[in-house]
């Protein structure tokens, strides 16, 4: 079987591989790169559990071949945070019970991250619209929505705090007025 050489940046790390032309990106991520956080559910792009970021946009990795990602920058759920340092979205999902079985969670976290990067203060309707593209059979979505709202609030607080500290540092460095 013929293979094609690809190079992708995954979670900030350049990865090179020779892959079959019809290898799904989801399978490449899970099998070749040993990143199991990207789940595979329907393999038809319907459920959303395989959602990742490709060049800054959410993509269903089960609908894309690995060779199509050549030269792209990919972020998976593993890039969000670590067990001892959760991302605010992960922390909010944990605190608000935004997951039960966890199968849909990686895709939900990725679409939540994308939404909050584009809109740091989304309405409940905007959150519902975004998560409606991902299927969850356990939670009924309310705890997911609450989790995203909580994460949005925390992320805005961190942003405001960072901005204030930055302004304070800038004032401290400023030349005295003469």
């Amino acid at each position: 079987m013929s293979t094609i050489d690809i190079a992708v940046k995954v979670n900030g790390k350049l990865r090179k591989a020779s892959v079959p032309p019809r290898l799904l990106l989801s399978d490449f991520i899970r099998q070749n790169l040993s990143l199991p956080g990207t789940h595979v559910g329907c393999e038809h792009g319907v459920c959303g559990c395989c959602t990742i970021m490709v060049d800054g946009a959410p993509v269903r990795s089960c609908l894309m071949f690995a060779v199509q990602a050549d030269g792209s920058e990919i972020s998976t759920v593993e890039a969000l945070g670590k067990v001892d340092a959760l991302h605010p979205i992960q922390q909010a999902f944990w605190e608000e019970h935004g997951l039960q079985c966890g199968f849909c969670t990686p895709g939900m976290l990725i679409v939540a991250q994308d939404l909050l990067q584009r809109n740091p203060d989304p309405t409940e309707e905007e959150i519902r619209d975004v998560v409606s593209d991902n299927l969850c059979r356990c939670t009924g979505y309310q705890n997911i929505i609450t989790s995203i709202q909580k994460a949005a609030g925390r992320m805005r607080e961190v942003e405001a705090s960072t901005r204030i500290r930055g302004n304070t540092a800038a004032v401290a460095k400023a030349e005295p007025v003469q």
Side-chain angles (χ1 to χ4, degrees):
M1 179 189 297
S2 67
T3 60
I4 297 173
D5 293 335
I6 64 169
V8 292
K9 189 179 255 188
V10 180
N11 300 335
K13 184 177 178 183
L14 182 63
R15 306 295 292 264
K16 295 180 180 184
S18 292
V19 298
R22 297 189 52 79
L23 178 69
L24 293 176
L25 183 55
S26 56
D27 293 333
F28 172 72
I29 290 167
R30 291 179 58 79
Q31 296 165 12
N32 296 52
L33 302 183
S34 298
L35 296 171
T38 301
H39 292 170
V40 178
C42 67
E43 294 187 279
H44 297 286
V46 175
C47 72
C49 69
C50 69
T51 303
I52 60 171
M53 298 297 286
V54 177
D55 296 326
V59 170
R60 307 281 205 220
S61 62
C62 74
L63 295 179
M64 187 173 183
F65 293 123
V67 295
Q68 291 175 294
D70 185 31
S72 292
E73 188 162 332
I74 296 170
S75 293
T76 69
V77 70
E78 286 90 352
L80 272 181
K82 304 291 181 215
V83 173
D84 58 344
L86 295 177
H87 186 280
I89 299 170
Q90 293 170 309
Q91 185 70 34
F93 266 68
W94 179 67
E95 290 172 2
E96 297 298 326
H97 309 285
L99 56 97
Q100 285 183 17
C101 80
F103 201 76
C104 72
T105 304
M108 291 289 189
L109 293 171
I110 294 294
V111 298
Q113 178 189 31
D114 178 57
L115 170 65
L116 297 179
Q117 285 176 341
R118 290 182 291 109
N119 179 0
D121 193 13
T123 65
E124 182 175 329
E125 184 178 323
E126 290 168 324
I127 295 170
R128 284 184 182 279
D129 184 55
V130 166
V131 301
S132 70
D133 290 339
N134 289 41
L135 300 179
C136 176
R137 300 175 84 172
C138 302
T139 68
Y141 296 91
Q142 188 54 51
N143 289 350
I144 293 170
I145 292 162
T146 303
S147 299
I148 295 171
Q149 289 171 323
K150 185 172 196 170
R154 282 210 179 128
M155 291 169 72
R156 287 191 309 272
E157 287 172 9
V158 168
E159 176 65 29
S161 174
T162 303
R163 214 173 319 122
I164 290 169
R165 278 196 306 267
N167 288 342
T168 303
V171 169
K173 291 180 184 177
E175 295 288 325
V177 177
Q178 296 186 5

